[in-house]
Amino acid sequence: MQPVVYNLSKEIMIVDQTKSFVIMPNGQSVSYYDPNIYTTSTGTFESTTKNQTFNLGAIANALGIGGVAGSLMGGVTAGVSNTDGIIRQNSVSRIDQPMVNIGPQGSIAMSKAYRIEGIGDSGLGNSNYIDVELGQAPVKFSICISYSIDEGKTFEKLITKIYINSNINEKVTDKKISKAFNNIYARKPDALVENLFMFLVPNNIKRSTSDIMGEFLEHSNIYDNYIRGSLIDFQ
């Protein structure tokens, strides 16, 4: 869940991240401001090795050493190697700002995207319900954005309440996924006109997962979910 704040006024808007929160479905309040500094580093090492070898027999001949000693030295090779290397390292640090300014008619994404328990993969297998009201919704959360348009003299709060009004699980039979989708549309004809909707297709396809700055998970080459729409609130 990634909120984006739009400043539709002609003034500079100040968003106070220390007083902006997500209230999770379990009631936990999570601030958008994190005083910690997170750093990730990546590095590469490049090296080259130079070798030099010497046959002691050739040295013995040059020094005039003959006989048994010279023959023995002819069967011995001495070597010297030298390795030169260089390390290249890149570091990226992420630091939250307590206050964020938004220019007139501008916008900015809040500093974090939070996972909401009960939505997406974590909501698979939840009980079925269709078109419930806020009071009966099993999964609901809220977002509080504190902002000022008078140079920080006073702050207003925009509190947006969000809830899941429908959750439908349909089994795939005879390997016909389209039939499962048709059953969903039959039970909820307006599924595709909701402000925000999501389809998930569980499978056992191996996927590639990478962790980005400890916040985001990225899946490549696997198209097992379909998300469209957005939720808009204003003040």
Side-chain angles (χ1 to χ4, degrees):
M1 188 275 303
Q2 175 71 74
V4 179
V5 180
Y6 291 85
N7 176 15
L8 301 182
S9 73
K10 297 180 180 180
E11 308 294 334
I12 296 175
M13 177 181 289
I14 302 174
V15 175
D16 188 346
Q17 291 207 115
T18 66
K19 297 179 181 178
S20 298
F21 309 91
V22 175
I23 309 301
M24 297 295 183
N26 62 1
Q28 179 185 8
S29 176
V30 183
S31 173
Y32 271 100
Y33 175 68
D34 185 349
N36 297 311
I37 300 175
Y38 299 92
T39 302
T40 58
S41 299
T42 58
T44 58
F45 176 73
E46 299 176 2
S47 65
T48 57
T49 301
K50 298 179 180 180
N51 294 303
Q52 290 181 325
T53 59
F54 307 92
N55 185 275
L56 297 186
I59 297 175
N61 291 333
L63 297 177
I65 301 175
V68 177
S71 299
L72 291 175
M73 293 178 69
V76 179
T77 299
V80 177
S81 64
N82 182 45
T83 300
D84 296 321
I86 183 172
I87 295 177
R88 295 183 175 89
Q89 181 167 309
N90 297 318
S91 296
V92 178
S93 297
R94 191 194 70 203
I95 305 173
D96 271 356
Q97 299 296 324
M99 301 286 184
V100 180
N101 295 325
I102 307 176
Q105 308 299 316
S107 63
I108 192 171
M110 297 297 287
S111 61
K112 299 177 186 63
Y114 284 113
R115 305 174 191 277
I116 307 299
E117 188 67 28
I119 299 178
D121 291 341
S122 64
L124 289 173
N126 286 352
S127 59
N128 286 280
Y129 52 90
I130 300 176
D131 294 332
V132 300
E133 298 294 335
L134 174 62
Q136 290 75 42
V139 180
K140 49 191 171 185
F141 62 99
S142 61
I143 302 170
C144 174
I145 303 295
S146 296
Y147 68 94
S148 172
I149 54 174
D150 59 4
E151 299 182 351
K153 296 177 183 178
T154 60
F155 280 84
E156 301 288 339
K157 295 189 296 293
L158 174 59
I159 301 176
T160 303
K161 297 181 179 180
I162 303 171
Y163 70 99
I164 308 302
N165 69 3
S166 301
N167 188 80
I168 304 174
N169 291 289
E170 278 291 338
K171 292 184 178 180
V172 175
T173 58
D174 299 328
K175 300 181 181 180
K176 295 180 179 179
I177 298 179
S178 59
K179 183 177 180 181
F181 274 98
N182 290 333
N183 291 338
I184 292 175
Y185 300 145
R187 298 176 64 182
K188 185 171 174 56
D190 62 345
L192 298 180
V193 297
E194 288 282 4
N195 294 324
L196 177 65
F197 60 88
M198 175 188 305
F199 290 102
L200 300 177
V201 183
N203 56 73
N204 59 358
I205 302 176
K206 186 177 181 180
R207 63 181 62 194
S208 174
T209 304
S210 58
D211 195 353
I212 303 177
M213 297 296 287
E215 294 291 342
F216 305 92
L217 285 179
E218 203 173 65
H219 304 294
S220 61
N221 301 324
I222 306 297
Y223 302 98
D224 55 1
N225 62 68
Y226 183 82
I227 304 172
R228 286 293 182 271
S230 60
L231 300 175
I232 300 174
D233 197 4
F234 62 92
Q235 186 166 294

